[in-house]
Amino acid sequence: MANKTPEVGDIHFPFPFTPYSIQKDFMAELYQVLEAGKIGIFESPTGTGKSLSLICGALSWLRDFEQKKRQEEARLLETGTLPLNVGKDQPPSLSSSCQETPDVLRPAGEPDWVAQFMQKKEERDLVDRLQEERVRRREREERLRQIRHNAQLKHAAKRVRQEEEETERLLRLSREMLAGGPGAEQLEQLTGEEELVLAEYESDEEKGTASGVDKDEDDLEEEHVTKIYYCSRTHSQLAQFVHEVQKSPFGKDTRLISLGSRQNLCVNEDVRHLGSVQLINDRCVEMQRNKHERKSEAEEEKPKKRRQEPRATCPFYNYEQLQLLRDEVLVEVKDIEQLVTLGKEAHACPYYGSRFAIPAAQLVVLPYQMLLHAATRQAAGIRLQGQVVVIDEAHNLIDTITGIHSAEVSGSQLCQAHSQLLQYMERYGRRLKAKNLMYIKQILYLLEKFVTVLGGNIKQNPHSQRLSQTGTELKTINDFLFLSQIDNINLFKVQRYCEKSMVSRKLFGFTEKYGAVLAPSREQPRLAGFQQFLQSLQPEVTKTPAAPVEEGEARALRPSSPLMHIEGFLAALTTANQDGRVILSRQGSLSQSSLKFLLLNPAVPFAQVVKECRAVVIAGGTMQPVSDFREQLLACAGVDAERVVEFSCGHVIPPDNILPLVVCSGPSNQQLEFTYQQRELPQMMTETGRILCNLCNVVPGGVVCFFPSYEYQRQVHAHWDKSGLLARLAVRKKIFQEPKRANQVEQVLLEYSKCIQCCGQMGSTMTGALLLSVVGGKMSEGINFSDNLGRCVVMVGMPYPNIKSPELQEKMAYLDQTLPRTPGQVPPGKALVENLCMKAVNQSIGRAIRHQKDFASIVLLDQRYARPPILAKLPAWIRDRVEIKTTFGPAIAAMRKFHRERSGPS
């Protein structure tokens, strides 16, 4: 399809087809937000082409920005004079290197000749920087041009790779032959033990600056050009976005890089098989450290006291190959899977290759966690200063930030970590330096105190320990530190020690090794006993058989070393006292009890993002209600209200293609109000079944019905089965239930879809299928029920969160204390509960309408939806068309008419 280039004002927006009017409005508003350096909250319903609007709007702005920047640089290089406003209100098109020019504060009464000299010096420095940047840019463009048009470079690089692989193979054979000589067995055992012993540790204060960065790695670093960081929740969403970029008019000329975790990008099979994200990260970092140590040892040429097996380094981390991979990645737009394939072909690490491509990239695609977590952001080499950030699918942004910065550890994990670390210290204590021993003892002390504060004993089995006191207790961070008697320990230093020494990685290696000791020794009985004790600490549920797939999933997701979990909890305790709480949950036995850190103020980690970035765009299909973003996130992060811009567009469907109804009573005039007290009454569950029976009689195709929870769905299903309503429903619709297991969702959806297709073709009394789903479950987000798959979406009740939850109560109290209360409006804490409920509703009911020619009805079963404050929280394209039906007769009549006109007689 030929590309179209619509104009909005004086701005040209290349587009793969003629855009909708709402897409033109979206792109124009997005352009202005980026140009003015504002914070934009953009809402564009699913099916309106939001991704393409983001791509074409943002990259059009970047195209114009780069053009203005080159023109301005050319003018500055030609005149050699500094603009009057440099260092103050600089033109937005100045490069990042120009923006580093500081305002020089000069003392009052300074002679004119000194001021003139300083002015000339600043001008010379600026011109020099611009010239260097221009040279680098031209070198990069020429390099990428050669790779794009000259295949000989790739063949030459491939030949070099093959030669290196052959050399490495010969060296490996030589080492194996040497290893087969006398004493090889003892050497191997010694090497295994050496790898488990902690290296000498020096704190940052003792060694000054952190070393260990490869010089070759420095060479790969370039000046960061102005770019757009696009992030979303899942890798599948990111891959879909990359494919949209590939199909767009910008697909050929945009330097795009996809970032991911080591788990997604690692091509070293020896590392990948570790499974756990934390173990893969630690092993990768350790191999890089070995590489640096090997280089430094070679440079120093120190005589070795004894023969040692060289420590493992990664064969995919090679300067020349990483340089080639970096450039190849920038030449053509690639998603994660294509990047991994290219890394395997190039015999170069995609994780580091993509990281080194960040400075020159124009568009960086990455998951939420990598952008929103400061430490992860820094490790990935992401610099936000003066850049643009687009956060898509941002309806759950606040919850995501809270989740990333929260941590929980169980009593079982605390006991297991303490036992492992104690055994480690007993085995290697004589070989450890004093600094290591000091920190290990501090960690052991912390673990013991954490168990004590839960009411347990570190020396006893956590499963057999019954706690005298049960219940949930919330503490401020400082109160928790005093209660645990650890306020005298510097947690910042302990956290830094855990990161630098990689003690959890060593501990994991130790716990893997002790059970594999083959040679008889004095240590073997103690290790065997240790193994038996550790097995006794494993949760009892692991002894019961479960589905093999789910066991594999659980193993892959759970770090093998409990200390890895605990390190996250220790890091969370360094948060400012007012911004977090510690929840002590005592549940009968020590193993079931836990300590949880809850972040109360997500604005703290987000403040750094909005402070550094030129502009931030928060986008989604259903962003209502936006008050949460304004008050909890932006206002608390110090963003002025004038800097925030809201944009919400309607849907592309005709107004007559949607019928949203609020139904206040059922066929027997039972008032519908599904509160916790009333929803489990038999008459309420019966009335719900009667309503669905009537709806299934008039709605063709698929009906998706959402319940507030899995437990309530189970209760209603059992009641319908007992009362005969389920059999009545099954006459017109085949009934499916949302599975609790994630690996069964695809199969249920496939069968649901096939049933609807078959019913449409057979012309039997059965007209489709009914899918019973749960709000916030597997079906309420990310799954499209387009066309016949979702001709009607039913919402049973209002899915309010559990008001008795200690976390929610603390969050409500925190908001009531910190946010200003507006006269005539509900308190901030209560507003939070309503907003959480309506966000869940909006996500669920947005599953149906997916494209311009689609049509569907939406039925909200609860009279509370008719209240104006609740209606105001619905998306505008639904809210403007809502009909409130106080009795059921007019409601079912409207449904019958709506579907008959669009589908013919039912």
Side-chain angles (χ1 to χ4, degrees):
M1 189 178 292
N3 291 338
K4 307 291 182 181
T5 309
E7 293 189 22
V8 181
D10 297 328
I11 306 168
H12 301 274
F13 292 107
F15 215 75
F17 50 82
T18 304
Y20 304 128
S21 60
I22 59 173
Q23 288 178 312
K24 293 180 183 178
D25 296 340
F26 187 107
M27 291 187 291
E29 190 67 25
L30 176 63
Y31 192 102
Q32 294 305 322
V33 165
L34 302 187
E35 184 69 15
K38 293 184 178 292
I39 310 294
I41 302 175
F42 283 74
E43 182 181 50
S44 180
T46 306
T48 56
K50 169 171 59 71
S51 295
L52 264 179
S53 300
L54 281 170
I55 291 166
C56 297
L59 291 178
S60 294
W61 171 83
L62 186 61
R63 171 204 63 201
D64 295 347
F65 177 89
E66 290 177 343
Q67 185 178 355
K68 291 175 191 173
K69 173 181 162 183
R70 282 193 286 268
Q71 292 172 351
E72 196 164 338
E73 285 178 357
R75 182 184 63 79
L76 289 172
L77 288 171
E78 184 180 348
T79 61
T81 57
L82 195 68
L84 295 175
N85 57 354
V86 72
K88 297 171 186 175
D89 298 324
Q90 296 177 356
S93 55
L94 273 176
S95 69
S96 57
S97 59
C98 297
Q99 292 174 350
E100 291 171 4
T101 305
D103 240 352
V104 180
L105 298 176
R106 303 187 180 90
E110 188 179 71
D112 291 343
W113 67 270
V114 174
Q116 291 172 4
F117 173 79
M118 295 302 294
Q119 173 77 6
K120 291 290 183 185
K121 185 177 183 303
E122 289 177 21
E123 291 174 356
R124 285 196 303 271
D125 291 345
L126 174 62
V127 170
D128 288 344
R129 275 198 300 274
L130 289 175
Q131 287 174 337
E132 289 174 7
E133 190 173 315
R134 175 184 277 185
V135 169
R136 281 197 301 267
R137 184 172 67 244
R138 287 177 175 173
E139 286 177 352
R140 180 179 65 242
E141 290 171 354
E142 177 62 21
R143 197 170 64 239
L144 298 182
R145 188 191 66 78
Q146 287 180 356
I147 290 177
R148 186 179 285 112
H149 299 294
N150 191 354
Q152 291 179 0
L153 286 175
K154 293 184 180 180
H155 294 309
K158 187 175 182 180
R159 213 165 38 245
V160 171
R161 281 200 305 273
Q162 291 171 344
E163 291 172 0
E164 288 177 350
E165 288 172 4
E166 180 64 18
T167 305
E168 179 63 29
R169 188 181 69 83
L170 293 172
L171 287 171
R172 189 167 59 251
L173 284 173
S174 301
R175 283 197 295 269
E176 288 172 359
M177 290 173 65
L178 287 171
E185 191 176 335
Q186 291 93 331
L187 177 62
E188 184 181 350
Q189 186 177 353
L190 174 65
T191 304
E193 294 290 321
E194 287 292 340
E195 287 184 350
L196 297 178
V197 179
L198 288 161
E200 185 173 358
Y201 177 74
E202 292 179 301
S203 63
D204 290 343
E205 293 88 344
E206 291 170 332
K207 63 182 178 181
T209 57
S211 61
V213 178
D214 195 350
K215 187 178 179 181
D216 290 343
E217 188 173 313
D218 282 343
D219 294 341
L220 285 170
E221 278 290 334
E222 295 184 31
E223 181 72 25
H224 282 243
V225 303
T226 301
K227 60 176 60 49
I228 297 165
Y229 287 99
Y230 172 91
C231 62
S232 192
R233 290 186 313 113
T234 64
H235 283 288
S236 60
Q237 289 171 339
L238 294 173
Q240 186 178 350
F241 178 82
V242 172
H243 295 155
E244 291 284 349
V245 174
Q246 289 171 333
K247 293 185 292 184
S248 77
F250 296 91
K252 298 292 183 184
D253 303 319
T254 301
R255 299 191 302 274
L256 180 148
I257 182 66
S258 295
L259 299 183
S261 64
R262 286 181 173 91
Q263 190 179 37
N264 289 99
L265 291 173
C266 180
V267 292
N268 187 331
E269 292 301 325
D270 292 337
V271 178
R272 284 180 62 87
H273 88 276
L274 294 172
S276 162
V277 178
Q278 188 65 50
L279 293 178
I280 290 174
N281 288 344
D282 286 348
R283 182 59 177 154
C284 177
V285 172
E286 185 178 43
M287 294 175 89
Q288 304 317 313
R289 187 173 295 178
N290 292 344
K291 180 174 183 285
H292 302 318
E293 287 174 359
R294 182 186 288 185
K295 279 197 168 188
S296 60
E297 286 173 5
E299 290 168 0
E300 292 172 7
E301 295 182 350
K302 288 183 179 178
K304 295 188 178 180
K305 295 181 180 178
R306 62 185 177 188
R307 179 185 173 192
Q308 289 185 350
E309 184 76 13
R311 295 186 177 184
T313 60
C314 186
F316 296 91
Y317 190 94
N318 175 277
Y319 170 68
E320 288 80 10
Q321 300 308 126
L322 284 175
Q323 195 175 36
L324 179 65
L325 180 64
R326 173 199 66 184
D327 293 341
E328 284 195 20
V329 163
L330 292 171
V331 164
E332 186 180 356
V333 173
K334 296 176 178 65
D335 62 18
I336 289 284
E337 286 75 19
Q338 294 167 327
L339 180 58
V340 170
T341 302
L342 184 62
K344 290 177 180 177
E345 292 175 357
H347 203 71
C349 175
Y351 176 79
Y352 283 103
S354 59
R355 197 178 81 168
F356 295 143
I358 292 174
Q362 296 168 307
L363 180 58
V364 179
V365 179
L366 68 167
Y368 273 0
Q369 290 79 356
M370 198 170 285
L371 183 104
L372 299 173
H373 192 265
T376 308
R377 195 165 63 233
Q378 183 179 1
I382 296 168
R383 300 179 190 173
L384 297 182
Q385 191 67 46
Q387 309 292 11
V388 171
V389 164
V390 177
I391 303 173
D392 201 2
E393 302 297 332
H395 55 272
N396 61 347
L397 178 59
I398 295 174
D399 292 338
T400 300
I401 297 173
T402 302
I404 290 172
H405 295 87
S406 297
E408 185 173 12
V409 293
S410 68
S412 180
Q413 289 172 329
L414 292 169
C415 288
Q416 195 174 355
H418 185 276
S419 178
Q420 290 178 0
L421 196 56
L422 186 62
Q423 291 282 339
Y424 179 89
M425 188 179 71
E426 288 177 359
R427 183 169 180 83
Y428 301 116
R430 293 180 181 179
R431 301 168 67 178
L432 297 175
K433 299 293 184 180
K435 207 77 161 178
N436 278 316
L437 284 172
M438 182 194 76
Y439 278 111
I440 287 176
K441 288 178 179 178
Q442 283 192 354
I443 295 171
L444 286 169
Y445 177 79
L446 289 170
L447 295 174
E448 182 178 351
K449 290 300 180 182
F450 289 157
V451 170
T452 303
V453 82
L454 283 172
N457 187 330
I458 197 71
K459 297 179 181 179
Q460 298 177 12
N461 190 313
H463 296 285
S464 60
Q465 288 189 62
R466 309 303 299 177
L467 302 184
S468 58
Q469 180 185 356
T470 59
T472 303
E473 190 178 359
L474 279 94
K475 296 286 183 183
T476 64
I477 298 173
N478 287 346
D479 287 345
F480 174 75
L481 298 180
F482 282 116
L483 181 67
S484 304
Q485 299 177 358
I486 60 172
D487 52 297
N488 59 328
I489 292 181
N490 189 329
L491 292 178
F492 290 95
K493 285 190 173 183
V494 175
Q495 178 196 359
R496 191 158 54 243
Y497 171 78
C498 291
E499 291 174 0
K500 301 290 184 184
S501 69
M502 298 172 66
V503 62
S504 59
R505 167 68 195 173
K506 301 289 185 182
L507 196 58
F508 172 73
F510 170 67
T511 54
E512 274 195 328
K513 182 106 179 151
Y514 71 81
V517 176
L518 300 177
S521 68
R522 291 179 302 168
E523 298 290 344
Q524 192 169 359
R526 179 160 50 161
L527 290 173
F530 175 43
Q531 180 181 14
Q532 189 175 6
F533 177 65
L534 287 183
Q535 287 175 348
S536 74
L537 294 179
Q538 296 298 326
E540 296 296 327
V541 291
T542 58
K543 297 179 182 177
T544 59
V549 176
E550 292 216 327
E551 284 181 1
E553 288 175 358
R555 268 198 300 273
L557 292 173
R558 186 180 65 250
S560 299
S561 171
L563 189 58
M564 295 176 184
H565 258 317
I566 295 161
E567 284 176 2
F569 181 71
L570 291 174
L573 291 179
T574 61
T575 308
N577 183 58
Q578 68 273 16
D579 294 327
R581 297 290 183 271
V582 179
I583 302 171
L584 292 80
S585 178
R586 302 181 179 95
Q587 304 291 331
S589 70
L590 177 60
S591 62
Q592 296 172 325
S593 303
S594 65
L595 298 173
K596 181 178 181 180
F597 173 81
L598 174 67
L599 181 71
L600 293 177
N601 188 5
V604 172
F606 195 66
Q608 189 177 2
V609 175
V610 295
K611 180 182 178 183
E612 293 182 4
C613 289
R614 171 199 178 94
V616 177
V617 174
I618 303 170
T622 51
M623 298 296 289
Q624 293 293 334
V626 297
S627 57
D628 283 357
F629 297 103
R630 278 188 168 273
E631 295 167 6
Q632 292 184 45
L633 210 54
L634 300 178
C636 291
V639 178
D640 293 333
E642 295 77 19
R643 194 185 172 197
V644 182
V645 175
E646 285 184 35
F647 175 86
S648 180
C649 62
H651 215 296
V652 293
I653 59 167
D656 294 338
N657 278 23
I658 181 174
L659 178 65
L661 298 178
V662 174
V663 180
C664 301
S665 62
S668 60
N669 293 322
Q670 171 73 46
Q671 291 298 303
L672 301 179
E673 188 164 343
F674 292 85
T675 61
Y676 285 115
Q677 296 77 19
Q678 296 186 40
R679 70 184 189 184
E680 294 180 9
L681 296 175
Q683 60 266 34
M684 288 294 288
M685 293 190 280
T686 300
E687 197 76 345
T688 305
R690 289 174 181 154
I691 292 171
L692 278 177
C693 284
N694 280 273
L695 292 176
C696 290
N697 284 333
V698 300
V699 177
V703 176
V704 185
C705 180
F706 286 100
F707 292 86
S709 67
Y710 283 104
E711 176 58 25
Y712 187 58
Q713 181 203 13
R714 186 195 63 78
Q715 290 179 2
V716 171
H717 188 273
H719 177 80
W720 289 350
D721 190 23
K722 187 178 179 180
S723 64
L725 279 167
L726 203 62
R728 284 177 56 191
L729 282 167
V731 172
R732 301 292 280 180
K733 307 284 184 186
K734 185 174 180 179
I735 300 171
F736 295 86
Q737 290 189 78
E738 176 179 323
K740 282 192 175 182
R741 294 179 177 177
N743 61 333
Q744 296 177 344
V745 170
E746 191 173 344
Q747 182 63 30
V748 171
L749 285 174
L750 186 62
E751 292 176 6
Y752 172 77
S753 176
K754 282 182 178 178
C755 175
I756 292 171
Q757 290 174 356
C758 292
C759 290
Q761 294 168 1
M762 292 189 315
S764 63
T765 55
M766 187 174 286
T767 60
L770 170 64
L771 179 59
L772 306 179
S773 303
V774 176
V775 175
K778 317 291 187 306
M779 310 282 192
S780 65
E781 196 172 326
I783 294 177
N784 301 338
F785 294 105
S786 61
D787 300 318
N788 276 340
L789 295 183
R791 288 304 180 199
C792 179
V793 175
V794 182
M795 180 66 61
V796 178
M798 298 187 69
Y800 280 108
N802 182 8
I803 197 70
K804 295 181 180 179
S805 160
E807 292 97 329
L808 183 58
Q809 288 182 347
E810 192 66 21
K811 180 77 173 179
M812 292 170 64
Y814 174 81
L815 293 178
D816 286 336
Q817 292 170 7
T818 55
L819 295 183
R821 183 169 179 177
T822 307
Q825 293 190 358
V826 296
K830 187 178 178 183
L832 168 70
V833 176
E834 288 186 355
N835 290 346
L836 288 172
C837 169
M838 292 309 296
K839 279 182 184 294
V841 169
N842 293 339
Q843 275 300 303
S844 299
I845 63 179
R847 299 301 93 207
I849 302 290
R850 313 307 288 182
H851 58 83
Q852 188 179 21
K853 295 181 180 180
D854 206 355
F855 67 89
S857 52
I858 297 170
V859 181
L860 304 174
L861 298 182
D862 200 306
Q863 62 184 3
R864 290 175 292 178
Y865 283 111
R867 299 173 185 172
I870 299 298
L871 281 175
K873 298 180 189 294
L874 289 169
W877 64 279
I878 295 177
R879 180 178 64 238
D880 296 342
R881 303 168 195 177
V882 166
E883 298 178 21
I884 299 172
K885 304 295 183 182
T886 55
T887 56
F888 188 72
I892 196 65
M895 289 285 290
R896 183 180 289 108
K897 181 179 182 225
F898 175 82
H899 287 284
R900 181 180 291 155
E901 289 175 352
R902 283 150 191 83
S903 306
S906 60

